PDB file of all heavy atoms in Angstrom:
ATOM      1  N   ALA A   1      58.376  77.196 221.382  1.00 98.00           N
ATOM      2  CA  ALA A   1      59.526  78.092 221.564  1.00 98.00           C
ATOM      3  C   ALA A   1      59.885  78.194 223.052  1.00 98.00           C
ATOM      4  O   ALA A   1      61.077  78.167 223.414  1.00 98.00           O
ATOM      5  CB  ALA A   1      59.221  79.467 221.001  1.00 98.00           C
ATOM      6  N   LEU A   2      58.884  78.293 223.905  1.00 98.00           N
ATOM      7  CA  LEU A   2      59.136  78.396 225.347  1.00 98.00           C
ATOM      8  C   LEU A   2      59.776  77.109 225.887  1.00 98.00           C
ATOM      9  O   LEU A   2      60.579  77.150 226.828  1.00 98.00           O
ATOM     10  CB  LEU A   2      57.828  78.673 226.093  1.00 98.00           C
ATOM     11  CG  LEU A   2      57.225  80.068 225.878  1.00 98.00           C
ATOM     12  CD1 LEU A   2      55.828  80.153 226.476  1.00 98.00           C
ATOM     13  CD2 LEU A   2      58.122  81.148 226.467  1.00 98.00           C
ATOM     14  N   GLN A   3      59.440  75.976 225.265  1.00 98.00           N
ATOM     15  CA  GLN A   3      59.992  74.704 225.728  1.00 98.00           C
ATOM     16  C   GLN A   3      61.394  74.425 225.182  1.00 98.00           C
ATOM     17  O   GLN A   3      62.152  73.656 225.777  1.00 98.00           O
ATOM     18  CB  GLN A   3      59.060  73.561 225.322  1.00 98.00           C
ATOM     19  CG  GLN A   3      57.728  73.553 226.057  1.00 98.00           C
ATOM     20  CD  GLN A   3      56.906  72.307 225.780  1.00 98.00           C
ATOM     21  OE1 GLN A   3      57.459  71.218 225.608  1.00 98.00           O
ATOM     22  NE2 GLN A   3      55.593  72.442 225.729  1.00 98.00           N
ATOM     23  N   THR A   4      61.741  75.026 224.038  1.00 98.00           N
ATOM     24  CA  THR A   4      62.993  74.639 223.364  1.00 98.00           C
ATOM     25  C   THR A   4      64.006  75.759 223.174  1.00 98.00           C
ATOM     26  O   THR A   4      65.176  75.480 222.956  1.00 98.00           O
ATOM     27  CB  THR A   4      62.669  74.052 221.976  1.00 98.00           C
ATOM     28  OG1 THR A   4      61.991  75.039 221.186  1.00 98.00           O
ATOM     29  CG2 THR A   4      61.798  72.810 222.097  1.00 98.00           C
ATOM     30  N   HIS A   5      63.581  77.023 223.200  1.00 97.00           N
ATOM     31  CA  HIS A   5      64.463  78.174 222.992  1.00 97.00           C
ATOM     32  C   HIS A   5      65.201  78.121 221.652  1.00 97.00           C
ATOM     33  O   HIS A   5      66.439  78.045 221.603  1.00 97.00           O
ATOM     34  CB  HIS A   5      65.473  78.291 224.138  1.00 97.00           C
ATOM     35  CG  HIS A   5      64.852  78.579 225.461  1.00 97.00           C
ATOM     36  ND1 HIS A   5      65.571  78.895 226.584  1.00 97.00           N
ATOM     37  CD2 HIS A   5      63.550  78.599 225.852  1.00 97.00           C
ATOM     38  CE1 HIS A   5      64.764  79.088 227.605  1.00 97.00           C
ATOM     39  NE2 HIS A   5      63.524  78.911 227.181  1.00 97.00           N
ATOM     40  N   PRO A   6      64.473  78.169 220.525  1.00 98.00           N
ATOM     41  CA  PRO A   6      65.117  78.181 219.217  1.00 98.00           C
ATOM     42  C   PRO A   6      65.811  79.506 218.953  1.00 98.00           C
ATOM     43  O   PRO A   6      65.664  80.456 219.744  1.00 98.00           O
ATOM     44  CB  PRO A   6      63.939  77.975 218.246  1.00 98.00           C
ATOM     45  CG  PRO A   6      62.762  78.546 218.972  1.00 98.00           C
ATOM     46  CD  PRO A   6      62.999  78.247 220.422  1.00 98.00           C
ATOM     47  N   THR A   7      66.527  79.589 217.853  1.00 97.00           N
ATOM     48  CA  THR A   7      67.285  80.799 217.537  1.00 97.00           C
ATOM     49  C   THR A   7      66.356  81.959 217.238  1.00 97.00           C
ATOM     50  O   THR A   7      66.544  83.089 217.748  1.00 97.00           O
ATOM     51  CB  THR A   7      68.197  80.546 216.319  1.00 97.00           C
ATOM     52  OG1 THR A   7      68.788  79.252 216.427  1.00 97.00           O
ATOM     53  CG2 THR A   7      69.276  81.604 216.223  1.00 97.00           C
ATOM     54  N   ILE A   8      65.365  81.741 216.396  1.00 98.00           N
ATOM     55  CA  ILE A   8      64.400  82.783 216.023  1.00 98.00           C
ATOM     56  C   ILE A   8      63.000  82.173 216.024  1.00 98.00           C
ATOM     57  O   ILE A   8      62.808  81.053 215.536  1.00 98.00           O
ATOM     58  CB  ILE A   8      64.698  83.358 214.610  1.00 98.00           C
ATOM     59  CG1 ILE A   8      66.078  84.021 214.572  1.00 98.00           C
ATOM     60  CG2 ILE A   8      63.614  84.336 214.188  1.00 98.00           C
ATOM     61  CD1 ILE A   8      66.502  84.452 213.177  1.00 98.00           C
ATOM     62  N   THR A   9      62.037  82.887 216.563  1.00 98.00           N
ATOM     63  CA  THR A   9      60.650  82.474 216.523  1.00 98.00           C
ATOM     64  C   THR A   9      59.798  83.615 215.979  1.00 98.00           C
ATOM     65  O   THR A   9      59.849  84.736 216.507  1.00 98.00           O
ATOM     66  CB  THR A   9      60.120  82.098 217.922  1.00 98.00           C
ATOM     67  OG1 THR A   9      60.925  81.046 218.460  1.00 98.00           O
ATOM     68  CG2 THR A   9      58.675  81.617 217.851  1.00 98.00           C
ATOM     69  N   LEU A  10      59.044  83.335 214.941  1.00 98.00           N
ATOM     70  CA  LEU A  10      58.132  84.332 214.394  1.00 98.00           C
ATOM     71  C   LEU A  10      56.745  84.118 215.004  1.00 98.00           C
ATOM     72  O   LEU A  10      56.267  82.996 215.071  1.00 98.00           O
ATOM     73  CB  LEU A  10      58.053  84.196 212.868  1.00 98.00           C
ATOM     74  CG  LEU A  10      59.380  84.381 212.117  1.00 98.00           C
ATOM     75  CD1 LEU A  10      59.164  84.140 210.624  1.00 98.00           C
ATOM     76  CD2 LEU A  10      59.950  85.779 212.353  1.00 98.00           C
ATOM     77  N   ILE A  11      56.115  85.204 215.451  1.00 97.00           N
ATOM     78  CA  ILE A  11      54.783  85.151 216.021  1.00 97.00           C
ATOM     79  C   ILE A  11      53.849  85.979 215.135  1.00 97.00           C
ATOM     80  O   ILE A  11      54.035  87.189 214.992  1.00 97.00           O
ATOM     81  CB  ILE A  11      54.774  85.677 217.469  1.00 97.00           C
ATOM     82  CG1 ILE A  11      55.710  84.849 218.342  1.00 97.00           C
ATOM     83  CG2 ILE A  11      53.354  85.681 218.035  1.00 97.00           C
ATOM     84  CD1 ILE A  11      55.322  83.385 218.476  1.00 97.00           C
ATOM     85  N   SER A  12      52.862  85.310 214.545  1.00 95.00           N
ATOM     86  CA  SER A  12      51.989  85.974 213.577  1.00 95.00           C
ATOM     87  C   SER A  12      51.320  87.207 214.147  1.00 95.00           C
ATOM     88  O   SER A  12      51.256  88.263 213.503  1.00 95.00           O
ATOM     89  CB  SER A  12      50.901  84.992 213.098  1.00 95.00           C
ATOM     90  OG  SER A  12      51.466  83.854 212.497  1.00 95.00           O
ATOM     91  N   GLU A  13      50.789  87.089 215.375  1.00 96.00           N
ATOM     92  CA  GLU A  13      50.075  88.201 215.983  1.00 96.00           C
ATOM     93  C   GLU A  13      50.981  89.413 216.197  1.00 96.00           C
ATOM     94  O   GLU A  13      50.551  90.568 216.067  1.00 96.00           O
ATOM     95  CB  GLU A  13      49.467  87.753 217.316  1.00 96.00           C
ATOM     96  CG  GLU A  13      48.355  86.733 217.200  1.00 96.00           C
ATOM     97  CD  GLU A  13      48.839  85.297 217.014  1.00 96.00           C
ATOM     98  OE1 GLU A  13      50.056  85.082 216.850  1.00 96.00           O
ATOM     99  OE2 GLU A  13      47.999  84.389 217.047  1.00 96.00           O
ATOM    100  N   GLU A  14      52.260  89.160 216.487  1.00 96.00           N
ATOM    101  CA  GLU A  14      53.214  90.273 216.662  1.00 96.00           C
ATOM    102  C   GLU A  14      53.517  90.927 215.323  1.00 96.00           C
ATOM    103  O   GLU A  14      53.656  92.166 215.240  1.00 96.00           O
ATOM    104  CB  GLU A  14      54.501  89.741 217.296  1.00 96.00           C
ATOM    105  CG  GLU A  14      55.482  90.824 217.665  1.00 96.00           C
ATOM    106  CD  GLU A  14      56.706  90.291 218.388  1.00 96.00           C
ATOM    107  OE1 GLU A  14      56.825  89.068 218.553  1.00 96.00           O
ATOM    108  OE2 GLU A  14      57.554  91.114 218.776  1.00 96.00           O
ATOM    109  N   VAL A  15      53.607  90.121 214.272  1.00 95.00           N
ATOM    110  CA  VAL A  15      53.821  90.670 212.924  1.00 95.00           C
ATOM    111  C   VAL A  15      52.692  91.600 212.557  1.00 95.00           C
ATOM    112  O   VAL A  15      52.908  92.700 212.015  1.00 95.00           O
ATOM    113  CB  VAL A  15      53.940  89.516 211.897  1.00 95.00           C
ATOM    114  CG1 VAL A  15      53.879  90.050 210.463  1.00 95.00           C
ATOM    115  CG2 VAL A  15      55.242  88.746 212.117  1.00 95.00           C
ATOM    116  N   ARG A  16      51.459  91.189 212.848  1.00 93.00           N
ATOM    117  CA  ARG A  16      50.298  92.037 212.519  1.00 93.00           C
ATOM    118  C   ARG A  16      50.269  93.288 213.401  1.00 93.00           C
ATOM    119  O   ARG A  16      50.019  94.389 212.911  1.00 93.00           O
ATOM    120  CB  ARG A  16      49.005  91.246 212.699  1.00 93.00           C
ATOM    121  CG  ARG A  16      47.751  92.075 212.427  1.00 93.00           C
ATOM    122  CD  ARG A  16      46.502  91.235 212.446  1.00 93.00           C
ATOM    123  NE  ARG A  16      46.313  90.589 213.747  1.00 93.00           N
ATOM    124  CZ  ARG A  16      45.377  89.648 213.984  1.00 93.00           C
ATOM    125  NH1 ARG A  16      44.584  89.266 212.999  1.00 93.00           N
ATOM    126  NH2 ARG A  16      45.269  89.105 215.180  1.00 93.00           N
ATOM    127  N   GLU A  17      50.533  93.104 214.708  1.00 94.00           N
ATOM    128  CA  GLU A  17      50.487  94.231 215.648  1.00 94.00           C
ATOM    129  C   GLU A  17      51.493  95.316 215.266  1.00 94.00           C
ATOM    130  O   GLU A  17      51.199  96.514 215.333  1.00 94.00           O
ATOM    131  CB  GLU A  17      50.761  93.717 217.055  1.00 94.00           C
ATOM    132  CG  GLU A  17      50.713  94.784 218.133  1.00 94.00           C
ATOM    133  CD  GLU A  17      49.321  95.332 218.378  1.00 94.00           C
ATOM    134  OE1 GLU A  17      48.331  94.621 218.073  1.00 94.00           O
ATOM    135  OE2 GLU A  17      49.218  96.463 218.888  1.00 94.00           O
ATOM    136  N   ARG A  18      52.679  94.887 214.828  1.00 94.00           N
ATOM    137  CA  ARG A  18      53.740  95.845 214.484  1.00 94.00           C
ATOM    138  C   ARG A  18      53.739  96.213 213.003  1.00 94.00           C
ATOM    139  O   ARG A  18      54.567  97.020 212.574  1.00 94.00           O
ATOM    140  CB  ARG A  18      55.108  95.259 214.864  1.00 94.00           C
ATOM    141  CG  ARG A  18      55.254  94.989 216.365  1.00 94.00           C
ATOM    142  CD  ARG A  18      56.673  94.570 216.692  1.00 94.00           C
ATOM    143  NE  ARG A  18      56.849  94.284 218.099  1.00 94.00           N
ATOM    144  CZ  ARG A  18      58.011  93.990 218.670  1.00 94.00           C
ATOM    145  NH1 ARG A  18      59.118  93.988 217.945  1.00 94.00           N
ATOM    146  NH2 ARG A  18      58.094  93.747 219.970  1.00 94.00           N
ATOM    147  N   ASP A  19      52.835  95.585 212.257  1.00 92.00           N
ATOM    148  CA  ASP A  19      52.702  95.880 210.837  1.00 92.00           C
ATOM    149  C   ASP A  19      54.045  95.672 210.105  1.00 92.00           C
ATOM    150  O   ASP A  19      54.522  96.522 209.349  1.00 92.00           O
ATOM    151  CB  ASP A  19      52.219  97.323 210.624  1.00 92.00           C
ATOM    152  CG  ASP A  19      51.556  97.507 209.263  1.00 92.00           C
ATOM    153  OD1 ASP A  19      51.002  96.533 208.725  1.00 92.00           O
ATOM    154  OD2 ASP A  19      51.603  98.639 208.727  1.00 92.00           O
ATOM    155  N   VAL A  20      54.664  94.496 210.345  1.00 93.00           N
ATOM    156  CA  VAL A  20      55.983  94.201 209.781  1.00 93.00           C
ATOM    157  C   VAL A  20      55.819  93.580 208.384  1.00 93.00           C
ATOM    158  O   VAL A  20      55.239  92.507 208.244  1.00 93.00           O
ATOM    159  CB  VAL A  20      56.761  93.212 210.679  1.00 93.00           C
ATOM    160  CG1 VAL A  20      58.175  93.014 210.154  1.00 93.00           C
ATOM    161  CG2 VAL A  20      56.797  93.715 212.124  1.00 93.00           C
ATOM    162  N   PRO A  21      56.340  94.220 207.339  1.00 88.00           N
ATOM    163  CA  PRO A  21      56.237  93.672 205.990  1.00 88.00           C
ATOM    164  C   PRO A  21      57.171  92.484 205.790  1.00 88.00           C
ATOM    165  O   PRO A  21      58.100  92.278 206.580  1.00 88.00           O
ATOM    166  CB  PRO A  21      56.640  94.842 205.091  1.00 88.00           C
ATOM    167  CG  PRO A  21      57.533  95.676 205.935  1.00 88.00           C
ATOM    168  CD  PRO A  21      57.015  95.545 207.346  1.00 88.00           C
ATOM    169  N   LEU A  22      56.928  91.718 204.744  1.00 87.00           N
ATOM    170  CA  LEU A  22      57.742  90.539 204.456  1.00 87.00           C
ATOM    171  C   LEU A  22      59.214  90.895 204.300  1.00 87.00           C
ATOM    172  O   LEU A  22      60.093  90.190 204.807  1.00 87.00           O
ATOM    173  CB  LEU A  22      57.235  89.852 203.191  1.00 87.00           C
ATOM    174  CG  LEU A  22      58.019  88.638 202.711  1.00 87.00           C
ATOM    175  CD1 LEU A  22      57.985  87.529 203.760  1.00 87.00           C
ATOM    176  CD2 LEU A  22      57.467  88.124 201.388  1.00 87.00           C
ATOM    177  N   SER A  23      59.507  92.014 203.606  1.00 88.00           N
ATOM    178  CA  SER A  23      60.905  92.407 203.376  1.00 88.00           C
ATOM    179  C   SER A  23      61.652  92.632 204.686  1.00 88.00           C
ATOM    180  O   SER A  23      62.829  92.286 204.819  1.00 88.00           O
ATOM    181  CB  SER A  23      60.943  93.677 202.529  1.00 88.00           C
ATOM    182  OG  SER A  23      60.230  94.730 203.172  1.00 88.00           O
ATOM    183  N   GLU A  24      60.948  93.188 205.686  1.00 93.00           N
ATOM    184  CA  GLU A  24      61.596  93.448 206.977  1.00 93.00           C
ATOM    185  C   GLU A  24      61.816  92.148 207.743  1.00 93.00           C
ATOM    186  O   GLU A  24      62.847  91.979 208.413  1.00 93.00           O
ATOM    187  CB  GLU A  24      60.738  94.411 207.810  1.00 93.00           C
ATOM    188  CG  GLU A  24      61.434  94.856 209.086  1.00 93.00           C
ATOM    189  CD  GLU A  24      60.627  95.900 209.841  1.00 93.00           C
ATOM    190  OE1 GLU A  24      59.822  96.616 209.202  1.00 93.00           O
ATOM    191  OE2 GLU A  24      60.821  96.009 211.068  1.00 93.00           O
ATOM    192  N   ILE A  25      60.857  91.224 207.647  1.00 95.00           N
ATOM    193  CA  ILE A  25      61.024  89.908 208.305  1.00 95.00           C
ATOM    194  C   ILE A  25      62.254  89.214 207.733  1.00 95.00           C
ATOM    195  O   ILE A  25      63.095  88.697 208.478  1.00 95.00           O
ATOM    196  CB  ILE A  25      59.772  89.044 208.090  1.00 95.00           C
ATOM    197  CG1 ILE A  25      58.568  89.644 208.822  1.00 95.00           C
ATOM    198  CG2 ILE A  25      60.015  87.611 208.579  1.00 95.00           C
ATOM    199  CD1 ILE A  25      57.254  88.947 208.511  1.00 95.00           C
ATOM    200  N   VAL A  26      62.349  89.214 206.422  1.00 94.00           N
ATOM    201  CA  VAL A  26      63.483  88.575 205.743  1.00 94.00           C
ATOM    202  C   VAL A  26      64.788  89.254 206.139  1.00 94.00           C
ATOM    203  O   VAL A  26      65.801  88.582 206.403  1.00 94.00           O
ATOM    204  CB  VAL A  26      63.278  88.625 204.214  1.00 94.00           C
ATOM    205  CG1 VAL A  26      64.545  88.176 203.480  1.00 94.00           C
ATOM    206  CG2 VAL A  26      62.095  87.749 203.804  1.00 94.00           C
ATOM    207  N   ASP A  27      64.786  90.574 206.201  1.00 95.00           N
ATOM    208  CA  ASP A  27      65.997  91.320 206.536  1.00 95.00           C
ATOM    209  C   ASP A  27      66.462  91.018 207.961  1.00 95.00           C
ATOM    210  O   ASP A  27      67.663  90.827 208.209  1.00 95.00           O
ATOM    211  CB  ASP A  27      65.736  92.820 206.378  1.00 95.00           C
ATOM    212  CG  ASP A  27      67.004  93.644 206.468  1.00 95.00           C
ATOM    213  OD1 ASP A  27      67.857  93.535 205.554  1.00 95.00           O
ATOM    214  OD2 ASP A  27      67.169  94.363 207.473  1.00 95.00           O
ATOM    215  N   ILE A  28      65.524  90.942 208.892  1.00 97.00           N
ATOM    216  CA  ILE A  28      65.868  90.648 210.290  1.00 97.00           C
ATOM    217  C   ILE A  28      66.512  89.271 210.400  1.00 97.00           C
ATOM    218  O   ILE A  28      67.536  89.094 211.082  1.00 97.00           O
ATOM    219  CB  ILE A  28      64.615  90.735 211.179  1.00 97.00           C
ATOM    220  CG1 ILE A  28      64.136  92.181 211.292  1.00 97.00           C
ATOM    221  CG2 ILE A  28      64.899  90.159 212.568  1.00 97.00           C
ATOM    222  CD1 ILE A  28      62.782  92.329 211.971  1.00 97.00           C
ATOM    223  N   ILE A  29      65.897  88.285 209.732  1.00 98.00           N
ATOM    224  CA  ILE A  29      66.447  86.922 209.781  1.00 98.00           C
ATOM    225  C   ILE A  29      67.827  86.882 209.143  1.00 98.00           C
ATOM    226  O   ILE A  29      68.764  86.290 209.692  1.00 98.00           O
ATOM    227  CB  ILE A  29      65.499  85.937 209.072  1.00 98.00           C
ATOM    228  CG1 ILE A  29      64.173  85.856 209.820  1.00 98.00           C
ATOM    229  CG2 ILE A  29      66.139  84.534 208.991  1.00 98.00           C
ATOM    230  CD1 ILE A  29      63.111  85.018 209.100  1.00 98.00           C
ATOM    231  N   ALA A  30      67.970  87.512 207.966  1.00 97.00           N
ATOM    232  CA  ALA A  30      69.251  87.502 207.253  1.00 97.00           C
ATOM    233  C   ALA A  30      70.359  88.140 208.081  1.00 97.00           C
ATOM    234  O   ALA A  30      71.476  87.607 208.167  1.00 97.00           O
ATOM    235  CB  ALA A  30      69.088  88.235 205.908  1.00 97.00           C
ATOM    236  N   ARG A  31      70.086  89.292 208.687  1.00 97.00           N
ATOM    237  CA  ARG A  31      71.112  89.978 209.484  1.00 97.00           C
ATOM    238  C   ARG A  31      71.475  89.174 210.737  1.00 97.00           C
ATOM    239  O   ARG A  31      72.642  89.175 211.164  1.00 97.00           O
ATOM    240  CB  ARG A  31      70.638  91.381 209.852  1.00 97.00           C
ATOM    241  CG  ARG A  31      70.542  92.327 208.645  1.00 97.00           C
ATOM    242  CD  ARG A  31      70.123  93.724 209.020  1.00 97.00           C
ATOM    243  NE  ARG A  31      69.927  94.552 207.853  1.00 97.00           N
ATOM    244  CZ  ARG A  31      70.912  95.182 207.173  1.00 97.00           C
ATOM    245  NH1 ARG A  31      72.177  95.066 207.618  1.00 97.00           N
ATOM    246  NH2 ARG A  31      70.657  95.918 206.118  1.00 97.00           N
ATOM    247  N   THR A  32      70.500  88.507 211.314  1.00 97.00           N
ATOM    248  CA  THR A  32      70.783  87.663 212.475  1.00 97.00           C
ATOM    249  C   THR A  32      71.720  86.520 212.091  1.00 97.00           C
ATOM    250  O   THR A  32      72.678  86.209 212.819  1.00 97.00           O
ATOM    251  CB  THR A  32      69.474  87.080 213.042  1.00 97.00           C
ATOM    252  OG1 THR A  32      68.615  88.146 213.434  1.00 97.00           O
ATOM    253  CG2 THR A  32      69.739  86.185 214.248  1.00 97.00           C
ATOM    254  N   ILE A  33      71.457  85.902 210.946  1.00 98.00           N
ATOM    255  CA  ILE A  33      72.289  84.795 210.469  1.00 98.00           C
ATOM    256  C   ILE A  33      73.721  85.279 210.186  1.00 98.00           C
ATOM    257  O   ILE A  33      74.695  84.608 210.538  1.00 98.00           O
ATOM    258  CB  ILE A  33      71.656  84.173 209.204  1.00 98.00           C
ATOM    259  CG1 ILE A  33      70.367  83.431 209.599  1.00 98.00           C
ATOM    260  CG2 ILE A  33      72.640  83.215 208.511  1.00 98.00           C
ATOM    261  CD1 ILE A  33      69.560  82.916 208.418  1.00 98.00           C
ATOM    262  N   ILE A  34      73.833  86.455 209.582  1.00 97.00           N
ATOM    263  CA  ILE A  34      75.158  87.009 209.269  1.00 97.00           C
ATOM    264  C   ILE A  34      75.945  87.293 210.550  1.00 97.00           C
ATOM    265  O   ILE A  34      77.143  86.960 210.648  1.00 97.00           O
ATOM    266  CB  ILE A  34      75.012  88.293 208.410  1.00 97.00           C
ATOM    267  CG1 ILE A  34      74.517  87.933 207.015  1.00 97.00           C
ATOM    268  CG2 ILE A  34      76.351  89.034 208.328  1.00 97.00           C
ATOM    269  CD1 ILE A  34      74.131  89.138 206.175  1.00 97.00           C
ATOM    270  N   GLU A  35      75.300  87.892 211.531  1.00 97.00           N
ATOM    271  CA  GLU A  35      75.961  88.206 212.800  1.00 97.00           C
ATOM    272  C   GLU A  35      76.416  86.934 213.513  1.00 97.00           C
ATOM    273  O   GLU A  35      77.519  86.875 214.073  1.00 97.00           O
ATOM    274  CB  GLU A  35      75.034  89.021 213.694  1.00 97.00           C
ATOM    275  CG  GLU A  35      74.843  90.458 213.275  1.00 97.00           C
ATOM    276  CD  GLU A  35      76.171  91.223 213.215  1.00 97.00           C
ATOM    277  OE1 GLU A  35      76.943  91.153 214.196  1.00 97.00           O
ATOM    278  OE2 GLU A  35      76.451  91.843 212.163  1.00 97.00           O
ATOM    279  N   ARG A  36      75.571  85.913 213.496  1.00 97.00           N
ATOM    280  CA  ARG A  36      75.960  84.650 214.140  1.00 97.00           C
ATOM    281  C   ARG A  36      77.122  84.007 213.388  1.00 97.00           C
ATOM    282  O   ARG A  36      78.022  83.415 214.000  1.00 97.00           O
ATOM    283  CB  ARG A  36      74.753  83.692 214.177  1.00 97.00           C
ATOM    284  CG  ARG A  36      73.758  84.012 215.279  1.00 97.00           C
ATOM    285  CD  ARG A  36      72.556  83.093 215.225  1.00 97.00           C
ATOM    286  NE  ARG A  36      72.891  81.676 215.377  1.00 97.00           N
ATOM    287  CZ  ARG A  36      73.035  81.042 216.529  1.00 97.00           C
ATOM    288  NH1 ARG A  36      72.866  81.704 217.669  1.00 97.00           N
ATOM    289  NH2 ARG A  36      73.331  79.753 216.578  1.00 97.00           N
TER     290      ARG A  36
END
């Protein structure tokens, strides 16, 4: 990700640290796609 700058990058450790459920991950990606 640091070398290429993709649109969205998921980091497993951040998901665990923030306790982000699957539904929220999906929602964040979906809303980002809609806005773009």
Side-chain angles (χ1 to χ4, degrees):
L2 291 171
Q3 291 188 35
T4 60
H5 295 189
T7 319
I8 298 173
T9 302
L10 301 177
I11 301 297
S12 301
E13 292 81 353
E14 187 176 3
V15 169
R16 178 173 60 188
E17 181 69 23
R18 298 187 181 186
D19 203 28
V20 185
L22 177 62
S23 58
E24 187 175 336
I25 293 172
V26 171
D27 190 68
I28 291 171
I29 296 173
R31 291 182 185 278
T32 300
I33 290 173
I34 290 171
E35 286 302 310
R36 282 177 60 86

